Amino acid sequence: MTIRAKPLPTISTAVAPDLRRFLDRLRETFEDPNGLVTKTELLDTGAFKNSNAGNLQYVEPGEEQSYIAPPAPLNLAATGAMTSITLTWSGINYNSGYAYTEVWRASADNLGASVLIGTTTSGMYADAVGSDAAHYYWVRFVNVLNDKGPFNATAGVAGSTSPDLAYVFSQLTAAYGVSSDAPFFQLTSNTTINGVVIPAGTYIKEAKIHSGQITNAKIGNTIQSAAYVNGSAGWKIDKAGAMEMNNATFRGTLDVANAASGSRLKISATKIEVFEGSSGTPRVVIGDLS
């Protein structure tokens, strides 16, 4: 839709000759079809868009309009371990204009007091804060035009790490044990010792288990085989999800995805497939083509 400026009113009173000439030229400019254009007309061309500040912003040819306003991240969650807090969220594949995510942190639930602690292109961030730490977190998306979207929420997401086990054992030993050789301590409720809150649970300094069944296990650093040797023997999985082993057998399908782009590599017993982007457009198929 084209909106033209309204005609200027006729001047009926006497004015100075030079001012009249100026006003006549101004009228001609406004009323000429090739004269001034309005902001609405520029927006209608598709070559300009309103920026977050309300100003006109030129759109490069082929540029997606939604680059200008990244959405708010979804489902931010914080999971604490022994010395780090792992953050996860969703929504990074809103379109190909996504560039990265900013991660903000504060010691209190106050977005205004938070500071930027890092960026990542994936939907996960590990914050190494040490033991016995507690923080609040926020995240927001930034697109390829460096436009910053809204934070996930005004209220922060809380995350905390466990107390240092060496210190916990020293406090438990001093309070309940006769020596540091006490095999374990059982606390039926949260207990404060010398100003440190120790969560309820069983604290075992060292254990050898012949056969055990664990419903959920949280590994503070690594889990590995007894014969593990870096680069040559055994297996190891660390807290960041990195895995090392000699061989692997998959009875199902191996599906590997890029968290930033959404592209995937899928390997099954009959074929290898490569999919591009979050839309899953097939690009390569090797093997069974049926």
Side-chain angles (χ1 to χ4, degrees):
M1 178 179 65
T2 300
I3 301 176
R4 299 300 304 172
K6 294 181 179 179
L8 293 176
T10 301
I11 300 175
S12 57
T13 58
V15 295
D18 56 342
L19 178 58
R20 177 172 292 280
R21 287 194 297 272
F22 171 78
L23 294 176
D24 287 343
R25 299 293 84 75
L26 184 63
R27 178 196 295 277
E28 292 172 3
T29 301
F30 267 93
E31 296 181 352
D32 189 333
N34 297 317
L36 299 177
V37 295
T38 66
K39 179 179 179 181
T40 301
E41 289 175 319
L42 290 175
L43 292 173
D44 286 343
T45 67
F48 295 87
K49 295 296 175 185
N50 277 315
S51 69
N52 291 336
N55 301 320
L56 284 177
Q57 185 170 15
Y58 178 65
V59 179
E60 295 287 347
E63 177 184 302
E64 296 186 43
Q65 297 179 12
S66 54
Y67 285 8
I68 298 174
L74 303 173
N75 307 316
L76 176 62
T79 303
M82 297 300 299
T83 60
S84 65
I85 299 173
T86 300
L87 305 173
T88 58
W89 58 90
S90 59
I92 63 172
N93 294 321
Y94 65 90
N95 72 11
S96 58
Y98 169 76
Y100 59 89
T101 301
E102 292 182 344
V103 181
W104 293 69
R105 182 183 72 196
S107 57
D109 190 3
N110 182 354
L111 178 57
S114 64
V115 296
L116 178 65
I117 61 170
T119 62
T120 176
T121 57
S122 69
M124 183 184 73
Y125 184 86
D127 188 18
V129 294
S131 59
D132 200 18
H135 298 283
Y136 290 87
Y137 294 91
W138 297 262
V139 294
R140 68 179 178 183
F141 295 148
V142 181
N143 67 14
V144 294
L145 299 179
N146 202 36
D147 290 323
K148 296 173 174 34
F151 285 99
N152 59 288
T154 302
V157 174
S160 60
T161 56
S162 302
D164 179 77
L165 282 181
Y167 179 75
V168 168
F169 267 103
S170 70
Q171 297 300 305
L172 289 171
T173 299
Y176 301 114
V178 296
S179 73
S180 61
D181 295 330
F184 70 89
F185 298 95
Q186 176 70 41
L187 300 182
T188 57
S189 62
N190 292 352
T191 303
T192 301
I193 303 176
N194 294 332
V196 177
V197 178
I198 301 177
T202 301
Y203 292 82
I204 304 174
K205 193 169 187 180
E206 184 175 345
K208 295 179 174 60
I209 302 173
H210 174 68
S211 179
Q213 181 175 327
I214 302 174
T215 301
N216 293 295
K218 296 181 180 179
I219 308 300
N221 191 20
T222 63
I223 181 172
Q224 64 190 54
S225 61
Y228 172 74
V229 177
N230 183 27
S232 62
W235 59 269
K236 175 183 176 181
I237 303 175
D238 68 22
K239 63 183 179 183
M243 180 172 59
E244 178 187 349
M245 60 180 59
N246 290 338
N247 299 289
T249 300
F250 295 90
R251 288 182 290 274
T253 299
L254 177 62
D255 200 328
V256 182
N258 183 297
S261 67
S263 298
R264 296 164 46 229
L265 168 67
K266 184 177 180 181
I267 304 176
S268 65
T270 58
K271 58 185 172 182
I272 299 174
E273 300 170 276
V274 177
F275 303 91
E276 181 183 10
S278 57
S279 62
T281 303
R283 292 303 184 193
V284 177
V285 178
I286 302 174
D288 186 357
L289 302 180
S290 60

